Amino acid sequence: DQAVEYLGYDRFQHLLLLFCGVAMVASAGEVMMTSFLMPELRATWGAEGWQTALMGAMIFLGQLLGSMTWGVVGDYIGRKWACFIIMISTSAFGIASAFSPNIYVMIVFRFFVGVGIGGDVVVFALFTEYLPVAYRGNALMNLQTFWSVGTVGMSLIAMIFLPKEASRLAFFGTDAWRY
């Protein structure tokens, strides 16, 4: 703590804010995307309401499991490496979701996306460790604004690319949710 206080808040913290902020944007986008995926999966695969609800529940169950385990992993291998693994695994399972052949595989992939999102506790802790006390409140608030950027960004992406219910037409057609 004394070294962080002595060095103050400078370029390193700004870069760390950007790195951690990108993780928060991605996590927020993944969570927000779930609400947009549900009606698309009903239309594309004929998924029933309970199946899409289960998909939504599984991402949050994954978050619960991830938030309980990633902190321990971060303590063991280091928060920096844990953050990289969290970002890569969340991205990999998010991309794999787009190639799901059916709702059941999608549910499994979305669960593992949730496990990765649960790792945001490590991202938050990593950022906090490098903040001088005088800057913590403002800097942590700035980090949380990235979550809002992710939710608004995903909403705009969905508005542009997903089909409208009446016409089922969109930029990428009826399988736009895969992109």
Side-chain angles (χ1 to χ4, degrees):
D1 281 343
Q2 290 176 348
V4 172
E5 292 297 327
Y6 176 76
L7 293 173
Y9 191 91
D10 63 5
R11 184 173 183 262
F12 173 77
Q13 282 84 1
H14 288 290
L15 291 174
L16 189 59
L17 174 63
L18 184 62
F19 171 78
C20 294
V22 167
M24 298 298 269
V25 167
S27 294
E30 286 287 352
V31 170
M32 191 68 172
M33 182 181 5
T34 302
S35 63
F36 295 115
L37 277 178
M38 291 178 176
E40 296 304 314
L41 297 181
R42 285 189 198 115
T44 304
W45 288 334
E48 296 182 28
W50 70 269
Q51 292 170 317
T52 57
L54 180 61
M55 182 191 68
M58 291 306 281
I59 197 167
F60 292 110
L61 183 62
Q63 275 185 274
L64 176 66
L65 179 66
S67 66
M68 292 187 302
T69 57
W70 280 116
V72 174
V73 171
D75 288 342
Y76 184 72
I77 67 170
R79 287 185 180 83
K80 179 178 76 171
W81 289 109
C83 284
F84 282 120
I85 294 168
I86 289 163
M87 292 172 85
I88 289 168
S89 65
T90 304
S91 299
F93 283 109
I95 292 168
S97 296
F99 296 100
S100 298
N102 59 53
I103 186 69
Y104 301 106
V105 174
M106 172 70 84
I107 289 168
V108 170
F109 286 154
R110 298 311 289 170
F111 170 79
F112 285 110
V113 166
V115 171
I117 293 170
D120 282 350
V121 297
V122 176
V123 173
F124 195 82
L126 176 72
F127 186 57
T128 304
E129 285 179 344
Y130 290 99
L131 293 175
V133 173
Y135 294 92
R136 279 191 189 149
N138 249 357
L140 292 174
M141 183 210 47
N142 290 338
L143 179 61
Q144 288 305 114
T145 60
F146 281 91
W147 185 273
S148 299
V149 169
T151 57
V152 171
M154 184 53 66
S155 298
L156 292 173
I157 289 169
M159 190 170 63
I160 293 167
F161 290 103
L162 290 180
K164 310 302 178 255
E165 194 61 41
S167 66
R168 306 298 308 154
L169 296 175
F171 188 74
F172 288 110
T174 57
D175 272 348
W177 63 269
R178 292 187 185 272
Y179 306 104

